[in-house]
Amino acid sequence: GNARLLELARRAWAQASASARWAPHFSLESLLADRLPGYHGPAWAEVVKVPVIIYMYTGDERWLKAAVNGFRKLDRDHMLVDGVPSSNEGFDGRHPRAVHETCTIADLALSLSYLLMATGSAEWADKIERATFNAGAGAVMKDFKAFQYFSGPNQVLATHDSSVGQAGGAARMSYRPAHDIQCCSGSINRIFPGYASRLWLADRRGDLVAAMYGPSTVNFTTPAGVPVRVIERTNYPFSERIEFRFESAKPVKFALSLRIPGWTRDATLLLNRQPMDVPLIPGSFARVERLFLPGDLLTLTLPMRLKMTRWPEGGVALERGPLVYS
């Protein structure tokens, strides 16, 4: 609530945007223009959330439009099949040999989460899970004891001798406890906590939003001041089925919004195993407003159909729900 901090944020952005180094990349005019200049991928992915945050505190649509247009250009010019743009330090197009830096995965997902909160559009949540479940999961070992500095969806080898073209030498594509530059060592640990922090959100009315999916428990207080616990059980994204069980001391009325990803078709929603008459439109949030009884069970099913997509230079990928096999 400190207006001085908001003014400092505007001044910092204005000073940076006026510099010869930053103006071509991060001025509002540059973000609103059609061209996306080449730049350091992690830095771009991190900085572009700033206009979104300023919009959230000012309501000035120009800031939001600039950031959204920046992401549209990123998708068009540099986005790879696993949900993260090429960033061989700098942006590198959409060719099959392209790789991305692990810092970019963490920075991109965080910036997208602010767009999700600012707009309420399910599109940005779809992008977060695609980047997290594919590029994020691929860049780190299961025990989190080793990770890649660079990774890529078309990478055949993950060894010191990998010959996929990348900056800084082949060792950066191998799984190691640390690399010659330490930025990704810290960033890799932000990817999944960042995802978890956006599982549950509140809408403008103070009701509950299931923005991302994963096994979890949330305690919240309804707009009427009644405490409720929701337990989510699922093996998503490897399962189509997501269950929500409601716990409260008494029946309580509130609304729960559920994300219906843009990639699904024919989603279903059951209350205590009985179909509900709620519009389940892909790429939107379905709002369920009712009197929930203690022990009520909501079951959301998001069909994941296998499809083939084509990418530049003969690239082909198999996609199933939010998961990509390239």
Side-chain angles (χ1 to χ4, degrees), residues 91-146:
F91 291 137
D92 193 31
R94 305 174 72 216
H95 60 85
R97 298 162 302 283
V99 298
H100 36 56
E101 188 175 337
T102 296
C103 285
T104 308
I105 305 170
D107 294 333
L108 179 81
L110 181 61
S111 290
L112 288 169
S113 74
Y114 283 102
L115 274 168
L116 167 63
M117 293 188 292
T119 66
S121 173
E123 170 192 5
W124 307 111
D126 289 359
K127 290 179 180 295
I128 293 169
E129 69 176 10
R130 189 178 181 101
T132 302
F133 294 152
N134 295 286
V140 64
M141 299 292 284
K142 291 181 180 180
D143 60 6
F144 268 74
K145 291 183 178 180

